[in-house]
PDB file of all heavy atoms in Angstrom:
ATOM      1  N   GLY K  30      49.141 -35.120 -59.061  1.00  0.00           N
ATOM      2  CA  GLY K  30      48.068 -34.691 -59.814  1.00  0.00           C
ATOM      3  C   GLY K  30      48.317 -33.163 -60.341  1.00  0.00           C
ATOM      4  O   GLY K  30      47.430 -32.687 -61.201  1.00  0.00           O
ATOM      5  N   ILE K  31      49.340 -32.526 -59.922  1.00  0.00           N
ATOM      6  CA  ILE K  31      49.677 -31.226 -60.418  1.00  0.00           C
ATOM      7  C   ILE K  31      51.030 -31.280 -61.108  1.00  0.00           C
ATOM      8  O   ILE K  31      52.036 -31.725 -60.523  1.00  0.00           O
ATOM      9  CB  ILE K  31      49.714 -30.340 -59.198  1.00  0.00           C
ATOM     10  CG1 ILE K  31      48.445 -30.211 -58.386  1.00  0.00           C
ATOM     11  CG2 ILE K  31      50.182 -28.792 -59.595  1.00  0.00           C
ATOM     12  CD1 ILE K  31      47.411 -29.312 -58.899  1.00  0.00           C
ATOM     13  N   SER K  32      51.052 -30.587 -62.288  1.00  0.00           N
ATOM     14  CA  SER K  32      52.309 -30.636 -63.001  1.00  0.00           C
ATOM     15  C   SER K  32      53.191 -29.535 -62.780  1.00  0.00           C
ATOM     16  O   SER K  32      54.358 -29.476 -62.834  1.00  0.00           O
ATOM     17  CB  SER K  32      52.077 -30.906 -64.495  1.00  0.00           C
ATOM     18  OG  SER K  32      50.961 -30.054 -64.906  1.00  0.00           O
ATOM     19  N   LYS K  33      52.554 -28.397 -62.287  1.00  0.00           N
ATOM     20  CA  LYS K  33      53.356 -27.128 -62.069  1.00  0.00           C
ATOM     21  C   LYS K  33      52.735 -26.329 -60.925  1.00  0.00           C
ATOM     22  O   LYS K  33      51.438 -26.014 -60.939  1.00  0.00           O
ATOM     23  CB  LYS K  33      53.411 -26.351 -63.405  1.00  0.00           C
ATOM     24  CG  LYS K  33      54.537 -25.232 -63.299  1.00  0.00           C
ATOM     25  CD  LYS K  33      54.815 -24.681 -64.644  1.00  0.00           C
ATOM     26  CE  LYS K  33      55.770 -23.668 -64.719  1.00  0.00           C
ATOM     27  NZ  LYS K  33      57.011 -23.663 -64.140  1.00  0.00           N
ATOM     28  N   VAL K  34      53.586 -25.850 -60.077  1.00  0.00           N
ATOM     29  CA  VAL K  34      52.996 -24.921 -59.021  1.00  0.00           C
ATOM     30  C   VAL K  34      53.674 -23.580 -58.949  1.00  0.00           C
ATOM     31  O   VAL K  34      55.030 -23.620 -59.121  1.00  0.00           O
ATOM     32  CB  VAL K  34      53.393 -25.517 -57.584  1.00  0.00           C
ATOM     33  CG1 VAL K  34      52.973 -24.686 -56.444  1.00  0.00           C
ATOM     34  CG2 VAL K  34      52.801 -26.947 -57.461  1.00  0.00           C
ATOM     35  N   GLU K  35      53.029 -22.410 -59.085  1.00  0.00           N
ATOM     36  CA  GLU K  35      53.546 -21.119 -59.065  1.00  0.00           C
ATOM     37  C   GLU K  35      52.994 -20.387 -58.008  1.00  0.00           C
ATOM     38  O   GLU K  35      51.794 -20.549 -57.607  1.00  0.00           O
ATOM     39  CB  GLU K  35      53.265 -20.510 -60.462  1.00  0.00           C
ATOM     40  CG  GLU K  35      54.343 -20.997 -61.481  1.00  0.00           C
ATOM     41  CD  GLU K  35      54.184 -20.232 -62.843  1.00  0.00           C
ATOM     42  OE1 GLU K  35      53.295 -19.442 -63.020  1.00  0.00           O
ATOM     43  OE2 GLU K  35      55.097 -20.576 -63.685  1.00  0.00           O
ATOM     44  N   ILE K  36      53.802 -19.524 -57.471  1.00  0.00           N
ATOM     45  CA  ILE K  36      53.259 -18.696 -56.298  1.00  0.00           C
ATOM     46  C   ILE K  36      53.103 -17.215 -56.688  1.00  0.00           C
ATOM     47  O   ILE K  36      54.140 -16.575 -57.373  1.00  0.00           O
ATOM     48  CB  ILE K  36      54.396 -18.706 -55.272  1.00  0.00           C
ATOM     49  CG1 ILE K  36      54.456 -20.180 -54.713  1.00  0.00           C
ATOM     50  CG2 ILE K  36      54.025 -17.903 -53.937  1.00  0.00           C
ATOM     51  CD1 ILE K  36      55.612 -20.445 -53.755  1.00  0.00           C
ATOM     52  N   LEU K  37      52.134 -16.611 -56.439  1.00  0.00           N
ATOM     53  CA  LEU K  37      51.603 -15.343 -56.782  1.00  0.00           C
ATOM     54  C   LEU K  37      51.354 -14.548 -55.515  1.00  0.00           C
ATOM     55  O   LEU K  37      50.569 -14.833 -54.730  1.00  0.00           O
ATOM     56  CB  LEU K  37      50.292 -15.316 -57.691  1.00  0.00           C
ATOM     57  CG  LEU K  37      49.577 -14.161 -57.819  1.00  0.00           C
ATOM     58  CD1 LEU K  37      50.311 -12.981 -58.699  1.00  0.00           C
ATOM     59  CD2 LEU K  37      48.166 -14.384 -58.346  1.00  0.00           C
ATOM     60  N   VAL K  38      52.055 -13.429 -55.360  1.00  0.00           N
ATOM     61  CA  VAL K  38      51.827 -12.606 -54.309  1.00  0.00           C
ATOM     62  C   VAL K  38      51.235 -11.247 -54.570  1.00  0.00           C
ATOM     63  O   VAL K  38      51.561 -10.577 -55.614  1.00  0.00           O
ATOM     64  CB  VAL K  38      53.262 -12.238 -53.396  1.00  0.00           C
ATOM     65  CG1 VAL K  38      52.903 -11.057 -52.417  1.00  0.00           C
ATOM     66  CG2 VAL K  38      53.912 -13.440 -52.887  1.00  0.00           C
ATOM     67  N   ILE K  39      50.016 -10.995 -53.854  1.00  0.00           N
ATOM     68  CA  ILE K  39      49.387  -9.735 -54.156  1.00  0.00           C
ATOM     69  C   ILE K  39      49.765  -8.752 -52.938  1.00  0.00           C
ATOM     70  O   ILE K  39      49.105  -8.888 -52.000  1.00  0.00           O
ATOM     71  CB  ILE K  39      47.841  -9.759 -54.212  1.00  0.00           C
ATOM     72  CG1 ILE K  39      47.522 -10.975 -55.353  1.00  0.00           C
ATOM     73  CG2 ILE K  39      47.259  -8.503 -54.750  1.00  0.00           C
ATOM     74  CD1 ILE K  39      47.183 -12.241 -54.734  1.00  0.00           C
ATOM     75  N   ASN K  40      50.630  -7.828 -53.276  1.00  0.00           N
ATOM     76  CA  ASN K  40      51.103  -6.925 -52.389  1.00  0.00           C
ATOM     77  C   ASN K  40      50.116  -5.643 -52.247  1.00  0.00           C
ATOM     78  O   ASN K  40      50.039  -5.019 -53.267  1.00  0.00           O
ATOM     79  CB  ASN K  40      52.565  -6.510 -52.633  1.00  0.00           C
ATOM     80  CG  ASN K  40      52.770  -5.207 -52.009  1.00  0.00           C
ATOM     81  OD1 ASN K  40      52.558  -4.961 -50.790  1.00  0.00           O
ATOM     82  ND2 ASN K  40      53.414  -4.267 -52.763  1.00  0.00           N
ATOM     83  N   ASP K  41      49.443  -5.462 -51.209  1.00  0.00           N
ATOM     84  CA  ASP K  41      48.396  -4.465 -51.059  1.00  0.00           C
ATOM     85  C   ASP K  41      49.003  -3.017 -50.606  1.00  0.00           C
ATOM     86  O   ASP K  41      48.501  -2.746 -49.552  1.00  0.00           O
ATOM     87  CB  ASP K  41      47.209  -4.910 -50.372  1.00  0.00           C
ATOM     88  CG  ASP K  41      45.964  -4.079 -50.429  1.00  0.00           C
ATOM     89  OD1 ASP K  41      46.066  -3.284 -51.407  1.00  0.00           O
ATOM     90  OD2 ASP K  41      45.021  -4.231 -49.596  1.00  0.00           O
ATOM     91  N   GLY K  42      49.908  -2.478 -51.293  1.00  0.00           N
ATOM     92  CA  GLY K  42      50.467  -1.230 -50.757  1.00  0.00           C
ATOM     93  C   GLY K  42      51.164  -1.457 -49.451  1.00  0.00           C
ATOM     94  O   GLY K  42      51.246  -0.476 -48.720  1.00  0.00           O
ATOM     95  N   SER K  43      51.975  -2.357 -49.318  1.00  0.00           N
ATOM     96  CA  SER K  43      52.790  -2.639 -48.094  1.00  0.00           C
ATOM     97  C   SER K  43      53.843  -1.458 -48.137  1.00  0.00           C
ATOM     98  O   SER K  43      54.317  -1.127 -49.047  1.00  0.00           O
ATOM     99  CB  SER K  43      53.523  -3.888 -48.133  1.00  0.00           C
ATOM    100  OG  SER K  43      52.515  -4.963 -48.135  1.00  0.00           O
ATOM    101  N   THR K  44      54.129  -1.068 -46.851  1.00  0.00           N
ATOM    102  CA  THR K  44      55.129  -0.029 -46.606  1.00  0.00           C
ATOM    103  C   THR K  44      56.335  -0.635 -46.007  1.00  0.00           C
ATOM    104  O   THR K  44      57.226   0.081 -45.742  1.00  0.00           O
ATOM    105  CB  THR K  44      54.609   1.104 -45.588  1.00  0.00           C
ATOM    106  OG1 THR K  44      53.915   0.431 -44.585  1.00  0.00           O
ATOM    107  CG2 THR K  44      53.464   1.864 -46.443  1.00  0.00           C
TER     108      THR K  44
END
Side-chain angles (χ1 to χ4, degrees):
I31 301 276
S32 42
K33 194 167 175 48
V34 178
E35 278 186 355
I36 298 171
L37 163 68
V38 172
I39 306 105
N40 158 46
D41 194 14
S43 297
T44 49

